[in-house]
Amino acid sequence: MADTLVAPADLAPDALSAEAPRKGKRLMTLNMGPQHPSTHGVLRIVLELDGETIVSAKPDLGYLHTGIEKEMEVKTWQQAVTLTDRCDYLANLSNNLAYALGVEKMLGLEVPAKAQVSRVMLCELTRINSHLVWLGTHALDMGAMSMFFYCMREREEVLKLFEMFSGQRMMTSYIRIGGLALDHPRGWDKKVKAFVDDFPSKIDQYESLLDNNPIWKQRTIGVGALDVERMIALGVSGPMIRAAGVPWDVRVDEPYSSYEKFGVRVPTEFTNNDVYDRYRVRMFELRESCRLAKAAMEAMPEGPFQADAPKIVLPDREKMKTQMESLIYHFKIVTEGFTVPAGEVYVPVESPRGEIAYYIVSDGGNKPYRVHMRTPSFGNLQALEALFDRKSIADSIATLGSMDFVLGDTDR
Amino acid sequence: MNYFLLTLIKAGLIAFVLVTVLAYLVWVERKVLAHIQLRVGPNRVGPHGLLQPLSDLVKLLFKEGFIPSHVNLFFYLLAPFMAVALSLGSIAVIPLGPQIDVFGIKTNLGLADVNIGILFMLGLGSLGVYGVALAGWASNNKYALIGGLRSAAQMISYELPLALAIVAPLLMFNTLSFREVVDAQGGYLFGFIPQWAIFQLPVPQLISFIIFLIAAFAETNRIPFDLPEAENELVAGFHTEYSSMLFAAFFTAEYGHITTACMVASVLFLGGWQPLWPAAYGSDFFPVVAHWFFAAICFWHARQPARSYDRYTMPILGIILFGAGGLFLVPFLKPILVPLFWFLSKVAFLIFTFVWVRGTLPRFRYDQLMRFTWTFLFPVALVNLLITGLLVALTTK
């Protein structure tokens, strides 16, 4: 509300009094954000209100612009991985994966089976993490305050798993070009198993709080619907488009990282395209991700966790002490990095929010020439203006929550 | 003169206790909500955060009372005062217990025994909307304005079912005085079913009670009806532009409303200070047993301290509870304390319900809220009133 420090003329008390001339219907401009509890970050929406009905909504992006795409151009290929975490800070590993897959494709690098399956497992855990944050904040927006804490309880377990694998809770940078950053820690399978076995019962808990709650249903069913063709044209992807009955999922349509082995189920029974169906789709995906993570954990092959590419992947510390070559490669990779053949590549990955894709251009040097991200948050936000049209403020909050955007992902 | 002095003493006493209780309601709410939400709640200031309300008060007192330049100053300052005065005012007419005898002076446990107490309470409650609406309008802030408008419409709409829900038991008791309402709920059916309004024949007022509670939630702007201050939509709603003690005033008003609503609900529907079972079966000794039971728990915890200081704090608490339980046995204090205990336990249970609901339910949408009251709550209250009236007319000679 920074710009209302000076009272707008149409709101000054005397302008509302009987003496003021009344020229037809006047609209109220409401500045929602960038500091607003339910814009989930620093999204600013300029609303034109007629009473409580939104006449027009203009999203104003860029408050969290960090210049990550540009910054990548001055980092070596391997260093740039750490920047991908910072875009979508709730789906770090999906971002890691999309970037790593792109560079690996340009390098023609074959990633060992263990790393591939491990990536599937971690990306599914990431999806659980992200959907839990979404569910908690979405319910909080609707006034169901306690859900947030229940979701954070389980998210904490996922973050502990990430910490176990990579040493980091959020900015893991665990998926690197050529495989993983570290081998799996000791006892990882027990911890993952404990989580995936326990988690479905927790989903039941969430549903028992929300599914049959008449207020929750009233607030969500039939709210925030939009024509499917329009949504596709606007570039909406992920759970939002799946809730409209479009079974588009990159994991199934363009499988990567051995996803084809696990038979990902895409929900098709949700076609109402409203906030409730988006909630149902994400609850379905929580269960499905849990199943996939479990399947990946059980199918985890033995073997190396990094590709056999000494010029790209850092050598084993032990070998560096005994082998001259390893030491030379280590020095070369750390000081100047490796080069990637000139060319360009576009790799999509299914992030929790939708299709995230990295468009990477190389000029043959040791740094990316250009990296552009096609981010699902940005794509989904395109539908905001159409979704808000002629809705009440309360509905717009519900719709905004159901879009599940992350501003870091939008503004980059 | 004697009467004047007595009233002054009672007013001072009730005001002091009330303000303390309201401050501690914040602590209770935060603590209960925290445990619902897997948290610990305030636990830094004093044991179990018991001094938190005090520190909050000191903090709020010493905060800068920032008044934005674009407000309508008169109404901006008037609104919080109105809110507090109107919300605390109605407690004056609510009786806390029966007539007692202190040093030979017969007096009522409660500030004023007005024979139109219920009308007075309803009137003050209806005026309560002014505090919120004026605050929203005078702040000259868009969020506050929307919040104020929402609340004006909401409170006025829910007045109707609230009033209708109150009228139904009044038809049965044929009085407008709170004291007579409670007296009419004495006695037991078959010797053990309390004759509270929600159990009393010819029409057990359970539906009225539920409607009253729902409307009370709306009147006090609590979840699921907290639209005027829906923080995820309207930042802080009508009190967005208030800070320091002016902000605290709105909070006091909200908790005052909750307390009033719970007290009225206990008096009208739960039999006020009438115990749950007859004194013949020892209901007078229940407070003693309850206090001593909790004292025993304290001593048990002192034996197995969860924290190192529990070894010292728990016995102290145990002794206090033991002594408090013992007070109920003193013949001189018994007739004052036992009714008070029953009345306050009912109020406490209802207040707990308020917090419990806040930890569970999502929020209504504005139009759904209005539709709910006009198309469901109001007709149900009306039908309930008609049935009650009919049956009362048929059964009374």
Side-chain angles (χ1 to χ4, degrees):
Chain A
M1 295 296 294
D3 55 342
T4 51
L5 279 178
V6 179
D10 61 343
L11 257 184
D14 48 342
L16 289 170
S17 65
E19 288 84 42
R22 297 192 167 275
K23 314 186 204 87
K25 196 181 260 178
R26 278 174 302 180
L27 300 179
M28 181 159 96
T29 311
L30 186 67
N31 213 347
M32 208 183 188
Q35 282 91 26
H36 186 276
S38 43
T39 53
H40 299 278
V42 283
L43 175 68
R44 175 174 174 236
I45 310 170
V46 183
L47 299 173
E48 288 279 336
L49 293 176
D50 174 8
E52 283 216 28
T53 314
I54 294 166
V55 178
S56 85
K58 288 197 185 65
D60 181 9
L61 307 178
Y63 286 91
L64 204 60
H65 179 64
T66 40
I68 282 175
E69 287 180 359
K70 189 73 189 164
E71 213 176 323
M72 281 182 161
E73 293 167 19
V74 296
K75 301 278 183 197
T76 63
W77 291 100
Q78 195 72 279
Q79 281 172 342
V81 172
T82 56
L83 290 173
T84 62
D85 283 321
R86 271 97 184 147
C87 302
D88 186 346
Y89 42 79
L90 292 179
N92 323 76
L93 286 150
S94 308
N95 279 263
N96 289 165
L97 181 63
Y99 175 74
L101 282 176
V103 181
E104 281 158 9
K105 196 171 174 185
M106 292 170 100
L107 288 164
L109 208 60
E110 189 58 43
V111 180
K114 182 179 179 181
Q116 289 202 4
V117 176
S118 182
R119 285 173 176 189
V120 168
M121 183 180 81
L122 290 164
C123 281
E124 292 312 315
L125 288 176
T126 304
R127 196 181 311 280
I128 292 176
N129 167 26
S130 172
H131 279 3
L132 282 177
V133 174
W134 163 80
L135 180 62
T137 51
H138 186 41
L140 186 65
D141 282 351
M142 312 274 246
M145 195 177 165
S146 301
M147 271 308 282
F148 181 75
F149 294 93
Y150 302 144
C151 291
M152 287 296 128
R153 174 184 61 189
E154 270 70 67
R155 178 177 183 245
E156 188 63 27
E157 297 305 314
V158 182
L159 292 185
K160 273 183 193 157
L161 289 178
F162 288 161
E163 190 180 1
M164 189 184 186
F165 275 92
S166 67
Q168 289 285 331
R169 284 157 60 83
M170 284 180 80
M171 306 300 164
T172 55
S173 299
Y174 187 61
I175 295 174
R176 299 281 172 87
I177 299 161
L180 306 171
L182 301 159
D183 202 352
H184 292 172
R186 239 174 291 146
W188 66 273
D189 47 350
K190 281 197 201 76
K191 289 278 166 66
V192 175
K193 189 172 171 8
F195 175 75
V196 293
D197 284 347
D198 184 41
F199 188 57
S201 68
K202 297 288 165 54
I203 304 175
D204 294 340
Q205 273 185 20
Y206 308 147
E207 289 187 336
S208 68
L209 258 176
L210 295 179
D211 261 20
N212 294 320
N213 187 321
I215 304 179
W216 177 261
K217 281 185 160 175
Q218 275 188 19
R219 285 296 303 273
T220 54
I221 290 177
V223 171
L226 190 63
D227 189 35
V228 183
E229 268 78 44
R230 184 89 186 278
M231 283 181 112
I232 295 172
L234 288 167
V236 175
S237 60
M240 261 187 97
I241 202 79
R242 287 196 281 278
V246 181
W248 167 253
D249 191 322
V250 187
R251 290 176 293 174
V252 176
D253 295 304
E254 291 175 32
Y256 52 90
S257 194
S258 80
Y259 259 112
E260 65 279 2
K261 286 183 201 161
F262 295 100
V264 182
R265 284 190 302 239
V266 179
T268 49
E269 63 266 38
F270 309 109
T271 52
N272 291 332
N273 195 6
D274 55 7
V275 177
Y276 186 69
D277 269 16
R278 281 169 212 150
Y279 156 75
R280 295 295 318 151
V281 164
R282 289 197 177 97
M283 294 313 263
F284 179 96
E285 288 188 7
L286 276 178
R287 285 211 169 78
E288 180 67 3
S289 290
C290 191
R291 185 188 71 81
L292 287 172
K294 192 177 184 183
M297 182 210 76
E298 281 162 357
M300 190 69 68
E302 291 297 313
F305 65 98
Q306 281 179 325
D308 182 22
K311 287 188 178 177
I312 290 159
V313 176
L314 281 177
D316 189 43
R317 296 299 297 189
E318 287 305 313
K319 282 186 187 160
M320 273 167 60
K321 292 170 187 163
T322 53
Q323 292 177 9
M324 179 63 118
E325 246 123 70
S326 294
L327 194 61
I328 293 169
Y329 282 133
H330 183 268
F331 181 72
K332 290 275 276 181
I333 294 169
V334 170
T335 52
E336 61 168 31
F338 51 83
T339 58
V340 171
E344 55 184 58
V345 70
Y346 178 91
V347 183
V349 158
E350 186 71 25
S351 102
R353 264 159 278 287
E355 180 183 334
I356 184 160
Y358 276 63
Y359 173 66
I360 308 168
V361 183
S362 169
D363 59 353
N366 63 345
K367 291 166 186 161
Y369 177 75
R370 173 84 171 97
V371 179
H372 174 73
M373 300 156 199
R374 181 253 180 257
T375 54
S377 301
F378 189 76
N380 293 355
L381 265 183
Q382 302 309 310
L384 184 138
E385 216 169 322
L387 282 170
F388 272 29
D389 193 35
R390 311 300 309 176
K391 299 289 177 343
S392 71
I393 298 181
D395 274 353
S396 80
I397 299 295
T399 314
L400 205 61
S402 77
M403 291 165 85
D404 187 24
F405 52 83
V406 162
L407 263 300
D409 196 31
T410 311
D411 295 344
R412 309 191 282 284
Chain B
M1 190 61 210
N2 201 358
Y3 173 76
F4 181 74
L5 198 68
L6 195 69
T7 311
L8 211 62
I9 291 170
K10 279 203 288 191
L13 203 67
I14 287 177
F16 175 75
V17 172
L18 190 66
V19 170
T20 320
V21 164
L22 290 185
Y24 272 90
L25 264 189
V26 182
W27 178 84
V28 167
E29 164 145 42
R30 288 176 65 178
K31 213 64 180 170
V32 172
L33 208 56
H35 284 282
I36 290 175
Q37 296 169 345
L38 317 163
R39 298 182 286 124
V40 198
N43 67 345
R44 297 287 110 180
V45 194
H48 297 277
L50 272 171
L51 297 179
Q52 185 72 44
L54 207 65
S55 86
D56 282 349
L57 185 74
V58 171
K59 186 200 80 171
L60 284 165
L61 273 174
F62 283 93
K63 281 242 166 179
E64 182 192 357
F66 180 77
I67 298 176
S69 60
H70 56 74
V71 298
N72 187 322
L73 199 63
F74 178 70
F75 290 117
Y76 178 85
L77 292 176
L78 179 69
F81 284 101
M82 273 190 88
V84 173
L86 292 172
S87 103
L88 300 188
S90 31
I91 291 175
V93 295
I94 300 173
L96 310 172
Q99 200 171 58
I100 51 165
D101 200 340
V102 190
F103 305 118
I105 305 163
K106 281 196 195 307
T107 183
N108 290 317
L109 211 53
L111 191 51
D113 184 19
V114 191
N115 58 357
I116 51 152
I118 290 166
L119 285 184
F120 182 80
M121 187 272 306
L122 273 177
L124 278 190
S126 315
L127 284 175
V129 70
Y130 278 103
V132 174
L134 279 182
W137 184 79
S139 294
N140 199 8
N141 172 316
K142 293 167 186 175
Y143 287 118
L145 182 69
I146 297 175
L149 284 177
R150 278 182 174 191
S151 116
Q154 170 183 328
M155 286 171 116
I156 289 168
S157 303
Y158 277 83
E159 278 297 292
L160 267 170
L162 186 86
L164 288 180
I166 290 178
V167 170
L170 294 188
L171 279 180
M172 280 164 59
F173 304 137
N174 199 18
T175 175
L176 278 174
S177 153
F178 277 115
R179 176 168 314 283
E180 285 166 29
V181 163
V182 177
D183 290 340
Q185 295 179 70
Y188 298 86
L189 192 65
F190 311 128
F192 65 94
I193 300 176
Q195 284 285 57
W196 300 353
I198 54 167
F199 301 125
Q200 198 175 86
L201 294 174
V203 198
Q205 290 300 326
L206 202 59
I207 297 172
S208 294
F209 179 55
I210 292 166
I211 291 171
F212 180 86
L213 270 192
I214 293 174
F217 275 101
E219 282 283 298
T220 51
N221 297 330
R222 298 278 299 185
I223 267 188
F225 305 105
D226 66 336
L227 298 171
E229 45 194 300
E231 60 174 12
N232 304 85
E233 294 165 24
L234 302 178
V235 190
F238 62 87
H239 57 67
T240 305
E241 295 284 8
Y242 285 88
S243 54
S244 145
M245 276 316 276
L246 294 177
F247 165 76
F250 283 114
F251 252 70
T252 317
E254 184 180 321
Y255 285 102
H257 275 303
I258 294 172
T259 319
T260 321
C262 292
M263 281 180 168
V264 172
S266 324
V267 167
L268 280 180
F269 298 100
L270 301 180
W273 53 85
Q274 307 286 0
L276 189 54
W277 66 92
Y281 299 120
S283 68
D284 283 1
F285 295 100
F286 177 70
V288 188
V289 176
H291 276 85
W292 285 1
F293 175 70
F294 285 112
I297 290 181
C298 285
F299 290 129
W300 186 76
H301 274 294
R303 289 286 302 274
Q304 287 144 315
R307 288 159 298 243
S308 57
Y309 59 77
D310 277 358
R311 197 167 299 139
Y312 310 105
T313 54
M314 279 296 167
I316 295 171
L317 193 62
I319 290 165
I320 292 172
L321 281 173
F322 190 80
L327 287 181
F328 286 91
L329 290 174
V330 181
F332 166 67
L333 290 171
K334 199 175 157 188
I336 308 174
L337 289 181
V338 171
L340 228 99
F341 172 86
W342 282 105
F343 181 63
L344 293 182
S345 342
K346 287 167 194 173
V347 175
F349 171 74
L350 289 175
I351 288 176
F352 173 77
T353 315
F354 268 72
V355 183
W356 188 8
V357 166
R358 183 177 168 196
T360 316
L361 288 183
R363 179 184 302 127
F364 269 111
R365 199 174 69 204
Y366 182 61
D367 58 315
Q368 290 166 349
L369 172 108
M370 295 308 252
R371 201 176 306 131
F372 179 69
T373 167
W374 287 108
T375 63
F376 179 74
L377 216 52
F378 179 59
V380 170
L382 209 57
V383 168
N384 177 59
L385 181 63
L386 287 175
I387 292 172
T388 311
L390 195 68
L391 286 177
V392 168
L394 287 177
T395 48
T396 44
K397 288 126 238 158

